Amino acid sequence: MAAIGAGAERQLSFGEMIRDAAAVALVALGLALPLVGFQTVDRGAGMILETRFGAMFYAVGVIFVGRFVLGLIDAGRGRPILAASGAFSAAWVLNAIFDVAPPIEHVTLGWLTWLVAMTIALRAWFVLRRGARPAGRDGTRAGALPAVWLERVGRLVVPAALTFAVVMPFLPFADQRLVDLGILVLTYTMLGWGLNVVVGLAGLLDLGYVAFYAVGAYSYALISINLGLNFWETLPFAGAVAAFFGVALGFPVLRLRGDYLAIVTLGFGEMIRLILLNWDDLSNGAKGIGDIPRPSFFGLQFTAAPREGVAAFHEYFDLDFSPIHRVIYLYYIILILALLTNWFTLRIRKLPIGRAWEALREDEIACRALGINPTTTKLTAFAIGATFGGFAGSFFATRQGFISPESFNFIESAIILAIVVLGGMGSQLGVVVASVVLIGGPEWFRDLGTFRMVAFGALMVAVMIWRPQGLLAHRDPTVRLPAAPGRPP
Amino acid sequence: MLVVEGVHTFYGHIEALKGVDLEVKPGEIVTLIGANGAGKSTLLMTVCGTPQAQSGRIVFDGQDITRLPTHQIMRSGIAQAPEGRRIFPRMTLLENLQMGALAADPAHFSEDLERVFAFFPILKERQTQRGGTLSGGEQQMLTIARSLMSRPRLLLLDEPSLGLAPMIVRQIFKIIREINERTGTTILLVEQNAYHALRLAHRGYVMVTGAITLTGSGAELLANREVRAAYLEGGH
C-alpha cells in the first residue's frame, strides 16, 4: 500500500491507485467481516447468529471509493472532487433534516457515508489550499496561528468569555448542573494556570502536580477544623504549606531535566498520596476527612436551618432557600481565585523573575552565562506553581466538604498536564480552551452514551494531527515596540 | 585585569586543563587559539565557574573568583557570549537583550540598547522577531549584543565565527574590534579561525592538549613558523 500522504513526492498511475484502493478495501473487508458481517440477536429462544453481508459490502465499497478518490485528490484532481463530495454531503444533511427520502435503510451506514464524503471534501480543500500557497512555508512555526490573527481574536474573545463567566450563573438556562460543571471547569482552569507556571513558563515537566492540590486540600481541612478559621483566613496558610512542599520537592530535583524530572515528580505525587493514605493520625487514612467547614458569605451560612443566633444567607436577603445559592457562591469564589492566578501570572511574566523562567526553559546554559541563578529561579517557579495548586486544593476541600486520598490520584496530574499541553504550553488562553474541552467535553458528550469516550478520543487524535503544539501555541512577547515607522500599528 | 594561575580542570578523571597560566590586561584583545579539544572553551568556562577549577587561582580585578558560583561571576563585570549562539529562540530579539541586561542597572537600559544597536544596526530592524527565526549570523550578533547589555569590563567570546559564512565572519570580527576600540571593553577571544583572530588580537596564546605552548603578540604568532604550519596553512 503506497501512503497517500506521501503522494506529493511521486504521482501514482491510475492502475496503481485502483490497486491501492483495492488493498485498503481488502483490509477493511477483513476487519468488517467479524465486526459488521455477523451479528448475534437475542430471539427469546437463545442467541441466533445473523449475517449482514449487505451492510458489510456497502461499508467496504465506501472505503474503496473513498481511498480511490483520496488518491485522485493527490494526483491533482482536487477541484471537481471537492465540488462533488461537498455537494453530496450537503445534500445528505439536507435530506436528513427535511426527511425527503431515506436513501439507505441502515442509519449508521448512512452517516458513515456522509462522514467519508466530508473527510474527502476537507482533504480536497486542504490540498487545494496548500497548492495555492507559495512554496517555502515557515517551517519553524508550523502549526502556530499567525500572531496578528490570534491577537485580534483574543481582543474580542477574552472580554466576551470573561463576561460570560461572570453572568453565567444568572442566565436563564443555568441550572445547578451547569453551574457545577462551571465550577469544575474553573477549578481545572486554575490548576492548569498554576501548572503553566512550572511547565509552560519554566519548562520543568511536572507529573506530580496533584501533590500540591492534595497538600492544599488537607492543610485547608486540618487548619479550618482544628483552628476554626474561615475560608479566607485559612487560604493563605494552605497556600504557604503547599509552597513549602513545592520548595521541598524543588531542592532534590534541581539538577534533573526532562524525562528524569518527570519521573521524580511523578514519584513525589504518589508519595504524598500514600502518606495521606497511611498516616492515620494526621489524615484519617482512607476514610478521609469529613465535615469540612463550608464557606460563608461574610458570616452568613448557606443552610436551610442555621444554628441558633447565626443568620442564613436566604433569611438575610429575604430569599427562599435554595441549594443553588451556595453553588453560585462557590462558583464566584473559584472564578475570583482563577482570575487572580491568571492576573498574577500575566504580571510576573513581565518581571525579571518571570523572564528568567522563560529564559531557563529556552536555554539553561545561556541563563547561567547571563548571571541568572538557576537554583532560585527554579525554586520560585515550583513554589508559586504549588501555591496556586494549594489554593485550588483548599477550594476543592471546602466545596466537597469531604476529602480522601482517592481524589488525588495520578490521573488528576495527567489531566492537568493534558490541559496545559493541549492548550499550548505557556498560553493562558489555551488553558481555558483546553479545560473547557477536556472537562466540559466529556460532560456534553454524555448524550452520546457509550460512544462518549470514543468521541473524546477522536477529538484528542484530531488535535494531535492538526495542532501538535497545542490549540493556541502562541507566545505573546512581553514587550512591544511603540509603533515604529514603516510598521503597521 | 584577568589573571589565570596554574589552573587544573577535570571532567571526571580526565584532566582537561593541565596548569594553565594566562593574563589579560585592561583594554586588550587577547585571543586563545588551538585545535579541536585543546581545552580553549574549557578554560573560558572555568573562568565562568562551570566547571570549577580543581586547583589554581583565577583573579578578576583583584578579586579571587575561583570558587564563586557562576551567576555571581557573571554579575561581577564579566560577560560571556557562549559557544554556538545560545540565544532564547522563542523570545523576541528585544526580550533576548533584556535578559542580557538582567544583571545591569535598569536605569541605563535604553542607553545601552542604543549603544548595542549602533554596533549591530541589523538587530535594530529585527527587534520584534523571534530569536529562532534569525539567520545564523544575526543570532551570533545577538549573542554578542546580549552579553554587552550588562556593560561588562571583560567580554569572553567563545568561537564567534563558528559555522558562519566568511563574509559574516569578517563583519563580526570588525565589530569586535570596534567594541574594543570605542568602549574600551577588554576581550578574551577563543577561536579556531586563527588567522582572523591573530590579526585582530593584541596578544595571543596557543593551546595544545590542555596547556599553553606559545604566547606572543598577534603579529608575532602570525609570523611564527609552527603556528603557520599547525593552524594557518591550507587557507584562511
Side-chain angles (χ1 to χ4, degrees), chain B residues 10-23:
Chain B
F10 289 82
Y11 290 121
H13 290 295
I14 299 159
E15 189 174 19
L17 297 182
K18 302 165 180 167
V20 172
D21 297 294
L22 180 142
E23 194 189 351

Side-chain angles (χ1 to χ4, degrees), chain A residues 19-36:
Chain A
R19 230 173 300 148
D20 175 60
V24 173
L26 198 68
V27 173
L29 182 68
L31 283 172
L33 186 68
L35 289 175
V36 183

